[in-house]
Amino acid sequence: GRARPSHSEPRGRDGRGGEEEEEEMEGWHPLYPGHIPTSPLQKALLAAGSAVMALYDPYRHDMVAVLGETTGCLALPNLRDKMKNHPEGYRILQERPRIRLSTLDMARLQGLPDGSLGREYVRFLEDNKVSPDTRMPPKFVDDEELAYVIQRYREVHDLMHTLLGMPTNMLGEVVVKWFEAIQTGLPMCVLGAAFGPVRLSSRKLQVLATELVPWAIRSGLNASCVLNVYYEQRWEQPVESLREELGIFPPP
Amino acid sequence: CRCRALLSRPAGAVRARRGLAAGPEMHFGFQTVTEEERREKIYQVFENVAKKYDVMNDSMTLGIHRVWKDILMHKMNPCPGTLLLDVAGGTGDIAFRFINYVRSVRQRQLQRKLKHHQNLSWQEIFDSYQKDQFNSLGDSQVVVCDINREMLKVGKQKAQHLGYSEGLSWVLGNAEELPFDDDKFDVYTIAFGIRNVTRIDLALQEAYRVLKPGGRFLCLEFSHVSNPLLSRLYDLYSFQVIPVLGEVIAGDWRSYQYLVESIRQFPPQEELKAMIGDAGFFKVDYENLNFGIVAIHSGFKL
């Protein structure tokens, strides 16, 4: 469903009540837990503010998330439609799986053979000391299904790292962003891909420009939509085979 | 949907707005909650925003809040020896201004005294200077009282960082039930705090109680803009920009949504003036700043 202002509540102490204006929020109802309905003006301000803050303070991951939510109004429906039109993607939209420590059987994944998706994913989490639970839930997406789509994109991000074989340092993140930008078309990924390299050394920039980015772009264009993969049912599948199936070229 | 119930404001909310004993229903911004819930929610709001409180104040008001606080201090015009109670004083803005003001008044006092000592011997001048030098505040004192531990913590850190130590004390306390004796203070201030008090009538009664006879009550608070054009611009800015600033700068949309809503819920100038009069204060008056965006209310205990 979509959020729309209700026209019933009176507001303001001085009896200005009854008439609803675009700015007043108290008539808007949250569509999912954590949802904050926002007007177009607020979204624009948020997009601008979060972009500036994300560049100013790279540790503000919440700002990157907010930027993605406020600018994704074209890309997210596209992604959702891609998912709907694919049998596996459609199932994901129906079943709404979540990748969280509470839903993952870490012991089982660790026991899987080397080279399998599950084993390599756990290895990635351990090596980089990250956890799937640090992904921010969406707040500013005004459609409950699209909110799930962006949530899924965030939770699948670590799996992208695994599939592309990229670590979580700045260089690795930029490469993954390039891949995601091609795949999803999310403006936040495009901005991250474009501005991320700003903080890299020239040596790394060279490697980035000559080898990694071209490979990421080629893979991104060649691969089918990564959100259409039900990863939770493919832990045993070898990473190589999954790469081939998707169309991701082997990492340089 | 439960949200609709939370967002509606029944008739009880009108009485609740006045902060009178109106049964369990109260307002928290535009939501309806019980008294206890309101206290808890407000505590959490300030716990969350404490570290970014000053930064947010500067961003939201474009630094103008400093001018408002300076005006309050000039209106108070304290002389050395004044005992000030700053309630909901959290991060210490009023307290520090008070100390600065009193210090500079004291400086001028000492300079004038020295001028009159032209006919004394050097030894006598030196002695009197020695005596006064250690009394740069002239026995003035400010007690900062706040209900929120986090805000006090930030205030203490600021004091240390800025070098304020003399004449300053920090007390954890509730404006509705102050931990002080009767007739103690010369001036009572509450700057941008009374809006968050759950029972405003009790806070006003407590203010009356702890002030000495002749003592002054001063309240600096967001109030109501009567000019319709300005009011619309102010609303637009408040509801569109401020929560965004809260999200971008402090990572906390909801606390700042509460803030702008609570301003709308607060009694306007005349109503607050009546409430202050009801608590026993005389010569109650108010001064609008910036067309009523902010107002300073003043009253005396006689």
Side-chain angles (χ1 to χ4, degrees):
Chain A
R2 304 201 47 94
R4 281 177 60 250
S6 89
H7 292 253
S8 51
E9 347 283 335
R11 52 169 191 76
R13 293 195 86 258
D14 45 19
R16 255 182 304 139
E19 183 189 306
E20 190 61 59
E21 296 165 57
E22 267 288 83
E23 299 93 57
E24 290 299 315
M25 284 308 122
E26 73 272 37
W28 294 46
H29 308 305
L31 293 166
Y32 50 86
H35 180 213
I36 299 176
T38 42
S39 69
L41 174 60
Q42 285 175 321
K43 286 202 178 64
L45 292 171
L46 268 174
S50 60
V52 169
M53 190 52 103
L55 280 174
Y56 175 73
D57 184 357
Y59 289 103
R60 290 290 302 273
H61 300 300
D62 61 326
M63 287 292 102
V64 178
V66 168
L67 182 61
E69 288 167 34
T70 49
T71 53
C73 41
L74 287 174
L76 284 175
N78 259 338
L79 271 177
R80 190 258 312 270
D81 292 339
K82 270 197 208 168
M83 287 175 81
K84 260 203 173 131
N85 296 330
H86 186 281
E88 215 169 330
Y90 185 77
R91 257 192 314 127
I92 296 174
L93 277 179
Q94 293 292 92
E95 292 171 29
R96 306 271 179 105
R98 299 287 304 272
I99 302 179
R100 264 188 292 213
L101 281 177
S102 51
T103 56
L104 294 175
D105 188 349
M106 298 300 278
R108 181 176 85 92
L109 294 179
Q110 262 168 343
L112 288 173
D114 283 346
S116 63
L117 183 64
R119 183 75 193 90
E120 296 309 311
Y121 175 60
V122 172
R123 182 168 292 147
F124 166 80
L125 291 178
E126 286 167 357
D127 286 349
N128 291 277
K129 299 195 188 33
V130 291
S131 141
D133 290 357
T134 56
R135 300 292 154 196
M136 290 224 9
K139 289 191 284 215
F140 302 112
V141 181
D142 288 337
D143 180 304
E144 190 251 338
E145 195 171 34
L146 295 181
Y148 174 73
V149 172
I150 207 174
Q151 178 85 65
R152 181 78 182 159
Y153 152 73
R154 285 178 190 159
E155 290 177 358
V156 154
H157 178 77
D158 289 334
L159 281 157
M160 289 302 102
H161 275 278
T162 310
L163 279 177
L164 295 173
M166 290 288 129
T168 54
N169 54 24
M170 201 63 195
L171 185 64
E173 290 290 352
V174 170
V175 177
V176 176
K177 274 285 165 293
W178 274 96
F179 179 78
E180 284 176 345
I182 307 278
Q183 278 272 310
T184 64
L186 280 168
M188 176 264 285
C189 299
V190 174
L191 286 171
F195 286 99
V198 152
R199 290 173 180 268
L200 289 172
S201 68
S202 55
R203 187 173 54 82
K204 286 192 179 155
L205 270 175
Q206 220 195 4
V207 174
L208 192 68
T210 53
E211 289 179 31
L212 296 172
V213 169
W215 163 70
I217 296 179
R218 273 184 299 128
S219 293
L221 289 170
N222 191 48
S224 55
C225 182
V226 283
L227 284 184
N228 279 335
V229 179
Y230 209 134
Y231 295 100
E232 291 90 331
Q233 294 177 346
R234 290 168 178 258
W235 293 126
E236 292 85 3
Q237 187 175 1
V239 174
E240 303 267 327
S241 134
L242 186 55
R243 273 190 200 135
E244 250 192 73
E245 188 184 328
L246 282 173
I248 299 175
F249 298 120
Chain B
C1 141
R2 201 165 51 92
C3 328
R4 186 168 280 146
L6 283 178
L7 291 170
S8 68
R9 297 199 334 264
V14 177
R15 292 203 304 279
R17 273 203 301 271
R18 288 167 166 266
L20 297 177
E25 299 255 290
M26 301 227 73
H27 60 87
F28 175 73
F30 290 155
Q31 297 175 30
T32 303
V33 296
T34 64
E35 236 181 71
E36 204 36 60
E37 277 175 348
R38 186 175 193 269
R39 284 202 184 89
E40 248 181 66
K41 279 177 177 288
I42 291 179
Y43 192 91
Q44 273 166 19
V45 163
F46 284 93
E47 202 176 42
N48 293 343
V49 307
K51 293 207 174 72
K52 295 278 174 106
Y53 186 72
D54 293 328
V55 169
M56 279 300 301
N57 282 348
D58 276 332
S59 328
M60 290 189 291
T61 64
L62 305 170
I64 302 177
H65 74 106
R66 299 166 185 243
V67 176
W68 294 331
K69 288 166 182 163
D70 288 339
I71 294 177
L72 177 70
M73 201 44 56
H74 275 89
K75 198 172 170 94
M76 190 195 301
N77 193 17
C79 49
T82 301
L83 185 51
L84 168 66
L85 173 63
D86 182 29
V87 175
T91 56
D93 279 348
I94 301 297
F96 301 151
R97 279 174 172 75
F98 173 78
I99 292 177
N100 291 344
Y101 196 98
V102 149
R103 216 178 247 157
S104 68
V105 172
R106 181 74 178 145
Q107 288 272 53
R108 270 178 282 145
Q109 259 183 2
L110 291 175
Q111 278 170 358
R112 262 179 282 143
K113 239 173 95 176
L114 278 180
K115 272 210 213 129
H116 291 140
H117 286 176
Q118 301 298 350
N119 295 325
L120 296 179
S121 72
W122 282 116
Q123 187 59 43
E124 286 165 305
I125 295 175
F126 180 73
D127 284 339
S128 79
Y129 187 63
Q130 282 274 358
K131 184 163 51 80
D132 291 327
Q133 157 184 299
F134 293 114
N135 202 355
S136 62
L137 289 181
D139 296 324
S140 322
Q141 270 191 70
V142 51
V143 177
V144 179
C145 179
D146 200 295
I147 198 174
N148 194 296
R149 256 176 247 278
E150 285 303 311
M151 295 290 280
L152 278 178
K153 215 163 93 175
V154 172
K156 282 188 205 165
Q157 283 168 354
K158 240 170 87 174
Q160 217 176 25
H161 183 68
L162 296 170
Y164 291 100
S165 54
E166 217 190 318
L168 183 59
S169 45
W170 306 85
V171 174
L172 187 71
N174 183 345
E176 296 168 4
E177 206 180 327
L178 291 171
F180 305 111
D181 287 331
D182 300 2
D183 304 329
K184 259 202 90 172
F185 295 97
D186 296 309
V187 186
Y188 172 113
T189 49
I190 183 164
F192 301 117
I194 202 165
R195 198 179 73 249
N196 301 304
V197 168
T198 303
R199 291 282 305 275
I200 300 179
D201 56 334
L202 290 182
L204 293 173
Q205 284 168 29
E206 279 294 270
Y208 189 86
R209 180 179 70 78
V210 303
L211 276 172
K212 289 185 200 157
R216 188 175 197 183
F217 169 88
L218 281 168
C219 166
L220 174 67
E221 190 52 82
F222 287 110
S223 200
H224 285 251
V225 178
S226 43
N227 178 315
L229 174 64
L230 206 56
S231 174
R232 282 193 63 122
L233 287 173
Y234 179 45
D235 280 353
L236 183 71
Y237 178 73
S238 293
F239 283 96
Q240 296 299 302
V241 178
I242 288 184
V244 173
L245 282 176
E247 179 69 23
V248 171
I249 297 178
D252 190 350
W253 175 286
R254 291 193 195 278
S255 293
Y256 289 90
Q257 180 76 30
Y258 159 72
L259 185 138
V260 297
E261 289 176 357
S262 69
I263 294 175
R264 301 290 169 311
Q265 295 288 70
F266 189 68
Q269 288 85 331
E270 283 294 333
E271 210 178 306
L272 184 59
K273 177 174 165 183
M275 289 169 77
I276 296 172
D278 286 344
F281 290 100
F282 286 94
K283 291 272 304 155
V284 183
D285 203 4
Y286 62 85
E287 183 189 334
N288 275 343
L289 303 178
N290 291 120
F291 298 103
I293 293 181
V294 161
I296 299 180
H297 281 72
S298 159
F300 289 90
K301 172 174 178 172
L302 296 180

